[in-house]
Amino acid sequence: MSSKPVHPEPIRHHDHGTWLPRFTGRVLVVCPRCGGRALVVPRPDLAAPGYFSDLLFRPRRLTCAGCGAVADWTAEQRGTALVGAVPGGTEDPFFRQPLWLQTRCAGRILWAYDEEHVDALAAYVGARLRERHASPTRGMFARLPAWMKSASRRDEVLAGLATLRVLADRSAPADRSDAAHERGDRPRHHGSVYVRSSPY
């Protein structure tokens, strides 16, 4: 009795239009004082945001467990409106510090905000079949550069993401990636304005 070989089901990725702002709730950055790993999060006394886009306007706090550095950020105010931060690039969108999670990959710089962001990118890059279920207008995966989406670069990019996972567990200044420095590559501000009836 013969049996047909069993071929594993290709790994699928379902893109439901995930926005990059979703991953700005926790951002690992280079500490401006000691050069170690610092953390940028919404101010802890605030209620949880109702929408991911709200993360771009909420007051932020930068803290470094290594040297004790603390800094605060608030969105620019224009009358009763708040001007939100613009995510993207190798600097955090609030304090403009270099991201901690950066590494050289395929002749470029691969970056992420935190471990959840790394995992989301790895799930997309590692998939053999990619299905889109939403408009790509603001979706993070649709806007990834071609080199990250190329099947020929898959192994390189996955290896780079594995490096970022290791970096996420390290915090000393000596652990800082040689790729983690200022580049001035933040995206241009597109005038994102959010109107609130009361301050945070």
Side-chain angles (χ1 to χ4, degrees):
M1 179 177 177
S2 61
S3 60
K4 295 181 179 180
V6 177
H7 298 287
E9 181 72 16
I11 299 174
R12 293 175 180 265
H13 182 273
H14 301 276
D15 179 7
H16 295 281
T18 301
W19 287 16
L20 181 58
R22 171 182 174 177
F23 300 101
T24 62
R26 182 174 180 274
V27 183
L28 304 178
V29 302
V30 175
C31 175
R33 181 191 292 175
C34 72
R37 187 192 68 197
L39 178 64
V40 174
V41 294
R43 210 173 64 203
D45 58 318
L46 300 174
Y51 303 94
F52 290 127
S53 57
D54 191 32
L55 289 169
L56 301 178
F57 306 88
R58 298 171 75 80
R60 293 276 169 156
R61 181 158 295 163
L62 179 153
T63 57
C64 177
C67 70
V70 177
D72 289 304
W73 174 90
T74 55
E76 176 190 347
Q77 190 163 356
R78 295 180 187 171
T80 59
L82 295 179
V83 180
V86 182
T90 58
E91 297 176 5
D92 92 89
F94 308 100
F95 296 90
R96 303 187 182 183
Q97 287 299 116
L99 297 176
W100 180 258
L101 299 183
Q102 297 188 61
T103 188
R104 302 183 191 282
C105 178
R108 283 90 164 178
I109 300 297
L110 181 64
W111 57 268
Y113 288 139
D114 71 347
E115 301 92 329
E116 183 185 6
H117 192 190
V118 171
D119 289 343
L121 292 171
Y124 176 83
V125 172
R128 304 286 171 166
L129 296 175
R130 297 166 181 167
E131 299 178 357
R132 182 181 297 162
H133 300 278
S135 168
T137 304
R138 296 186 179 182
M140 176 182 74
F141 299 114
R143 294 186 172 198
L144 290 176
W147 65 271
M148 285 187 67
K149 296 190 280 188
S150 170
S152 65
R153 297 287 193 183
R154 180 180 288 116
D155 290 344
E156 287 180 87
V157 177
L158 289 175
L161 291 168
T163 297
L164 296 187
R165 284 197 190 92
V166 172
L167 284 170
D169 290 330
R170 297 179 176 175
S171 60
D175 296 326
R176 177 178 176 179
S177 167
D178 68 345
H181 58 78
E182 295 180 7
R183 289 188 183 79
D185 63 350
R186 298 176 71 247
R188 296 174 61 184
H189 205 293
H190 49 64
S192 175
V193 176
Y194 180 66
V195 180
R196 289 184 56 87
S197 59
S198 60
Y200 282 104

